[in-house]
Amino acid sequence: MGQTLAWMVFGAVIVIMMALDLGVFNRRAHEVSFREALTWSAIWISLALLFNLGVWWWRGQESALLFLTGYLVEESLSVDNLFVFIIIFSYFRVPSQYQHKVLFWGILGAVVMRGLFIATGVTLIHRFHWLIYLFGLFLIYTGLRLAWQKEKKELEPDKNIFVRILRRFFPVTSQFEGSRFFVRQGGRWLVTPLLVTVLVVESTDVIFALDSIPAILAITTDPFLVYTSNIFAILGLRSLYFALSGFMRMFHYLNYGLAVILAFIGVKMTLSDLYHMPIQLALGFIAVVLAVSILASVIWKPKAGAEPQG
């Protein structure tokens, strides 16, 4: 299978699945049930694993393990996005039946933005190899900051630069207008709070990409493996949100696990010219850290009155 054909197969799979998702199964706005969320989560994870098998058959074990590691890293780092989704939906008071549409369009935009970020990152590393050390140090710093922070910075959507620009040019309705993004009232077009919410979701993903893209580039700089593993992970994020939103705050030690993973990947990236770590070792370490942090969250509950770190 040639590289062009591989990109075409990947693109076809994504387009078909997203068309079925929004155009068939979720054509009517409705509240996503726990069972439905689990089903779609299983579908997206299964698709990623089947694609991984295709990579194994096409390019061998090494590439397949690189894809799997990138997918696991992006999926684990995306957990923070899930907490932000909860805050955004609560802030804008988005009805549950419209949350799926918000995440669909927000993540669709992320598919395009991630492509631009990854292409830029790969090009920069290939042209300026010394940037790999800068990315590595940035990941170590991010991991340490994540481990030491006592509380999350308060989300302030009204101060979001994109929201402020949008409101400068378009008046916003005082309430939701069904699942519509625009409505026409009194001879002029108005934006609904649903579009404002999509814009906030989209802009927060840009911020999260600043951590996740360097982390995956530390694993491999192959554009195909980086992009496909990244996209499969974030496309399954919507279903994962609806499946886990009820008990995500149980994982109060997960932030520490993610901090260790970021710092580990940063060290791996910084020392890449001195020591080439086998991908099996990196994948095993990441999986163990995630499992331990989740298990610790289940076994050791936070003290009464203590703020969860999730």
Side-chain angles (χ1 to χ4, degrees):
M1 183 189 296
Q3 188 83 358
T4 302
L5 181 58
W7 279 107
M8 292 174 63
V9 170
F10 170 73
V13 169
I14 298 304
V15 170
I16 291 172
M17 288 304 300
M18 296 198 75
L20 287 174
D21 187 347
L22 189 65
V24 179
F25 297 105
N26 294 287
R27 184 168 52 186
R28 294 182 179 178
H30 68 285
E31 182 176 353
V32 178
S33 66
F34 180 71
R35 181 177 180 180
E36 182 183 356
L38 281 182
T39 300
W40 273 103
S41 294
I43 289 173
W44 280 113
I45 292 172
S46 298
L47 280 174
L49 294 178
L50 284 173
F51 191 83
N52 197 24
L53 286 176
V55 172
W56 190 311
W57 170 78
W58 172 41
R59 296 175 60 173
Q61 178 182 359
E62 181 76 9
S63 292
L65 288 175
L66 289 171
F67 173 91
L68 184 59
T69 304
Y71 175 77
L72 185 60
V73 167
E74 176 59 31
E75 198 75 85
S76 59
L77 292 178
S78 294
V79 171
D80 260 2
N81 295 47
L82 304 185
F83 291 101
V84 172
F85 292 160
I86 291 177
I87 298 172
I88 293 173
F89 288 147
S90 175
Y91 181 91
F92 287 106
R93 298 179 182 178
V94 180
S96 56
Q97 65 265 33
Y98 304 138
Q99 292 179 6
H100 179 276
K101 183 174 182 178
V102 170
L103 293 182
F104 178 92
W105 289 106
I107 290 179
L108 182 62
V111 170
V112 177
M113 292 300 298
R114 294 295 177 99
L116 295 175
F117 282 2
I118 289 169
T120 302
V122 170
T123 302
L124 287 175
I125 287 179
H126 284 168
R127 289 191 177 183
F128 309 101
H129 182 71
W130 56 268
L131 283 174
I132 199 169
Y133 306 118
L134 191 61
F135 283 169
L137 292 174
F138 173 73
L139 289 175
I140 295 172
Y141 164 75
T142 303
L144 293 175
R145 186 189 62 187
L146 184 62
W148 286 340
Q149 70 179 7
K150 297 300 181 184
E151 58 183 19
K152 287 188 175 296
K153 186 178 180 181
E154 191 70 23
L155 186 68
E156 298 176 299
D158 281 334
K159 295 184 179 179
N160 184 293
I161 183 64
F162 299 106
V163 171
R164 292 168 65 182
I165 292 174
L166 179 68
R167 284 179 167 166
R168 186 168 186 174
F169 292 98
F170 292 94
V172 180
T173 61
S174 59
Q175 60 186 9
F176 290 91
E177 300 290 338
S179 61
R180 289 180 291 177
F181 291 139
F182 297 92
V183 292
R184 191 171 178 83
Q185 295 180 359
R188 62 175 183 168
W189 286 101
L190 283 75
V191 169
T192 71
L194 204 64
L195 181 61
V196 178
T197 309
V198 171
L199 201 59
V200 174
V201 169
E202 187 66 63
S203 58
T204 53
D205 180 76
V206 172
I207 297 172
F208 280 110
L210 296 178
D211 290 341
S212 64
I213 298 302
I216 294 184
L217 291 177
I219 296 166
T220 176
T221 56
D222 184 313
F224 181 77
L225 297 179
V226 173
Y227 187 67
T228 54
S229 62
N230 200 276
I231 297 309
F232 269 115
I234 66 172
L235 285 177
L237 196 59
R238 289 168 304 119
S239 303
L240 197 61
Y241 165 78
F242 291 110
L244 299 181
S245 59
F247 55 92
M248 279 191 298
R249 296 191 182 278
M250 289 175 53
F251 304 140
H252 46 275
Y253 287 118
L254 187 58
N255 261 21
Y256 296 111
L258 297 179
V260 171
I261 290 173
L262 283 173
F264 167 76
I265 294 175
V267 171
K268 176 181 178 298
M269 195 175 202
T270 306
L271 301 179
S272 59
D273 285 341
L274 298 177
Y275 171 66
H276 176 68
M277 181 179 296
I279 190 59
Q280 296 91 334
L281 179 60
L283 177 60
F285 180 85
I286 292 169
V288 168
V289 170
L290 281 176
V292 169
S293 59
I294 292 174
L295 186 62
S297 298
V298 174
I299 295 176
W300 291 290
K301 306 295 183 183
K303 295 180 180 179
E307 289 292 328
Q309 290 295 313

